[in-house]
Amino acid sequence: MSQRKVFPISLNLRNRNVLLIGPATHLDARLERLQGARAQVRMMELGEFCDSACVDVFLVMLFSAPGKGRNEAHRIAKEKGALVYVHDAPDQSDFSMPAVTARGPLQIAISTNAIAPALSRHLRECFDELLAKSGNDLDAFIQHLANLRQQLPTGQRGGLYDEAKRLQLDASIRILPEDDQ
């Protein structure tokens, strides 16, 4: 199993131009997440794409079917200096899209570097359930840690990790036999 090496980051897209290309049905979920990140988003079908669409664009996300049009849009976006994501084509993409779950300011991103996205999705669903069950206790604990951090000057926050370790995950990972699904 060949695996590309990636550097996991959370990307600040505030006021950055992002172009989504593909059928509207595939773009809605991404649009919501990008708008939540305060990106300046434009959407278009692949048939509407032209060279000038990528001018001053930071990120291009392609959700169209494989073919000449998608390849041309990919090439032009790269030439214009944009980061490019091509759905279901990790070898053409500058990054992969992790499965993300969140509760308040806590975000958990799960990735298999695009080799087993169904597993990432399943783990996200497990964490969705776990975060929902933790509810107000987790919210209060996150706020407690935030308050402590604000009270301490930079350089004196090392003890916060010990405080954060009060959160315990009581879980195990096991793989069911194929016939027990």
Side-chain angles (χ1 to χ4, degrees):
M1 171 182 356
S2 174
Q3 184 177 348
R4 63 187 184 149
K5 300 295 180 192
V6 297
F7 182 75
I9 61 172
S10 293
L11 190 60
N12 180 2
L13 294 176
R14 181 183 216 87
N15 297 320
R16 300 268 184 132
N17 293 322
V18 176
L19 178 61
L20 293 177
I21 302 171
T25 54
H26 288 89
L27 304 182
D28 289 341
R30 276 60 174 209
L31 176 63
E32 186 176 317
R33 285 177 62 186
L34 288 164
Q35 287 175 331
R38 305 291 192 265
Q40 301 299 311
V41 183
R42 253 186 353 186
M43 297 189 328
M44 67 175 51
E45 296 275 345
L46 184 58
E48 302 171 279
F49 181 81
C50 62
D51 289 24
S52 63
C54 291
V55 172
D56 295 324
V57 171
F58 178 74
L59 173 64
V60 174
M61 300 176 78
L62 289 154
F63 294 93
S64 55
K68 184 179 176 186
R70 183 173 91 174
N71 292 342
E72 184 69 5
H74 175 267
R75 182 188 63 75
I76 291 168
K78 293 301 294 175
E79 284 177 1
K80 300 287 185 185
L83 290 174
V84 179
Y85 170 79
V86 182
H87 181 67
D88 247 357
D91 292 339
Q92 290 183 295
S93 300
D94 292 317
F95 61 93
S96 59
M97 299 279 291
V100 177
T101 186
R103 182 170 179 97
L106 176 63
Q107 290 187 38
I108 300 172
I110 302 155
S111 174
T112 59
N113 290 339
I115 63 169
L119 178 60
S120 296
R121 177 183 173 187
H122 176 64
L123 287 170
R124 177 194 47 87
E125 290 170 352
C126 293
F127 274 98
D128 281 344
E129 188 176 317
L130 183 63
L131 292 178
K133 285 180 184 176
S134 301
N136 294 333
D137 289 342
L138 179 59
D139 296 341
F141 188 62
I142 292 169
Q143 188 59 53
H144 167 69
L145 290 171
N147 293 341
L148 288 175
R149 185 174 188 270
Q150 286 179 340
Q151 294 168 10
L152 294 171
T154 303
Q156 295 182 10
R157 296 177 177 164
L160 290 176
Y161 180 70
D162 288 334
E163 185 66 12
K165 289 191 318 186
R166 289 182 40 220
L167 183 145
Q168 297 290 304
L169 293 176
D170 298 320
S172 64
I173 295 177
R174 52 193 172 86
I175 311 300
L176 299 175
E178 289 187 32
D179 58 342
D180 286 352
Q181 297 178 31

